[in-house]
Amino acid sequence: MHHQHNASIPLERELLSYSGSYSGVVSKPYSTKESMLLRFALDVAPLWNSPDEFTKALDLLPSSVRPSVTRFHFPADRKLALGSQLLQRFVIAKVYSNGKPSDEMPTLASISIIRDAKSGRPSYHVPSPHEGQEWVLQDYNVSHHNPKSASSDPCLVVLVARVTAAASASSLLRIGVDIVPTAHSRGTSSPASFLESFRDAGVFTAREIKNIFSPLNEEDKVKLLFLHWAMKEAYCKAVGTGLVTNLLAIDFRDIKLDVVEKGTRDTQVKVFVDDVAEVGWMLEIGKLLDGHYVAIAADSCSIENGEEMDGAWVWISIEEDILKHWS
């Protein structure tokens, strides 16, 4: 599921060459509109299974960042941290350096990523547009999932980014993403007790709880719980609060399990805050592989203004997309 590319061709043309899939369904390719939503995914499970391989990839990062990767005890967590740091820099380099070293970005380690003190979100300080620059990275967000099971199970990092044409760049456009499993498999609790633990946990509104518990079987109830959780997390990350907020004031409506399970992205979701509809948001939930859902929340969306929100997930190859150009 990895795709090779030519790093010398423009960003929008290169994205047209990818054939990334979303639960087996290939969406229409990215267009050359004034704004794009980019989607990238990386499975770190098969990567860096020897100390030499891990060190080779780790050395691509700034020395100050490496302890944030190696501090994790479990290999899967270290892989996810390393994959996240590399994927963030890959996307920044793709937008500003055509995916390969340049005078401005001679190495991946030269790309400085800051963390917002309030939300904890990583971000890149966007430089002032220069002559010849085609695209501006407005915002991006990362999520990951560790299955904490067999090493062969996918261990995923996903990143979504909003990119605008430099000539039309304006105020910051926010985005959030969250990836969750489709089934309850952690711990010793049964699906039933797992579900009940959320009934009065102050996470979901009464309307959301009614929707989550509406199916007859527990498997579908768990799936709906994860869909609601992912959507709420993605939205809160986009807003910048994370889940440290009054979650009961945020109500998601019209999340439909049958639509998502068909492999179709559900884009008819609505969000209400204090019972008032929030307009201008693109809310999307869908499947990424068979065992994972991904939710995306993007604000200030306007198709009339030329924003392209549809597009395929691009699966990143560490060897072809990163090591080939940056090691």
Side-chain angles (χ1 to χ4, degrees), residues 56-66 85-86 88-94 96-113 124 321-327:
K56 181 180 180 181
L58 183 67
D59 286 347
L60 296 175
L61 300 178
S63 57
S64 60
V65 173
R66 295 170 198 168
Q85 290 289 340
L86 290 174
Q88 291 176 61
R89 287 169 171 82
F90 163 80
V91 172
I92 293 168
K94 178 59 62 182
Y96 290 104
S97 188
N98 206 22
K100 58 183 181 180
S102 64
D103 291 341
E104 293 79 13
M105 294 182 178
T107 65
L108 288 183
S110 69
I111 300 174
S112 178
I113 294 174
Y124 174 66
D321 292 304
I322 296 178
L323 294 180
K324 181 178 179 179
H325 304 287
W326 297 94
S327 61

Side-chain angles (χ1 to χ4, degrees), residues 224-259:
L224 271 170
L225 186 147
F226 280 127
L227 288 174
H228 282 78
W229 175 275
M231 196 73 264
K232 189 159 289 197
E233 171 103 4
Y235 174 80
C236 289
K237 288 168 74 175
V239 170
T241 62
L243 293 179
V244 186
T245 188
N246 180 14
L247 298 178
L248 294 180
I250 307 168
D251 185 40
F252 286 92
R253 304 179 188 179
D254 298 329
I255 294 178
K256 294 181 171 58
L257 178 61
D258 59 335
V259 173

Side-chain angles (χ1 to χ4, degrees), residues 35-145:
S35 180
M36 296 186 293
L37 174 65
L38 310 183
R39 311 157 189 263
F40 297 96
L42 172 66
D43 182 5
V44 301
L47 300 175
W48 311 312
N49 291 315
S50 74
D52 287 346
E53 290 175 337
F54 187 86
T55 300
K56 181 180 180 181
L58 183 67
D59 286 347
L60 296 175
L61 300 178
S63 57
S64 60
V65 173
R66 295 170 198 168
S68 68
V69 173
T70 58
R71 68 184 177 89
F72 292 101
H73 174 71
F74 294 105
D77 292 327
R78 288 198 295 270
K79 286 183 177 185
L80 286 168
L82 178 55
S84 174
Q85 290 289 340
L86 290 174
L87 187 55
Q88 291 176 61
R89 287 169 171 82
F90 163 80
V91 172
I92 293 168
K94 178 59 62 182
V95 175
Y96 290 104
S97 188
N98 206 22
K100 58 183 181 180
S102 64
D103 291 341
E104 293 79 13
M105 294 182 178
T107 65
L108 288 183
S110 69
I111 300 174
S112 178
I113 294 174
I114 61 175
R115 186 171 292 275
D116 182 78
K118 180 180 179 180
S119 67
R121 286 173 43 125
S123 64
Y124 174 66
H125 180 68
V126 179
S128 300
H130 57 76
E131 185 178 354
Q133 181 176 320
E134 295 185 51
W135 299 98
V136 172
L137 179 62
Q138 290 283 353
D139 193 24
Y140 74 86
N141 197 225
V142 184
S143 183
H144 59 76
H145 179 251

Side-chain angles (χ1 to χ4, degrees), residues 2 5 9 25-27 53 62 64 77 79 110 119 134 155 157 193 261 280 286 319:
H2 299 310
H5 67 275
I9 58 180
V25 179
V26 178
S27 301
E53 290 175 337
S64 60
D77 292 327
K79 286 183 177 185
S110 69
S119 67
E134 295 185 51
C155 197
V157 182
S193 59
E261 285 296 300
E319 186 67 36

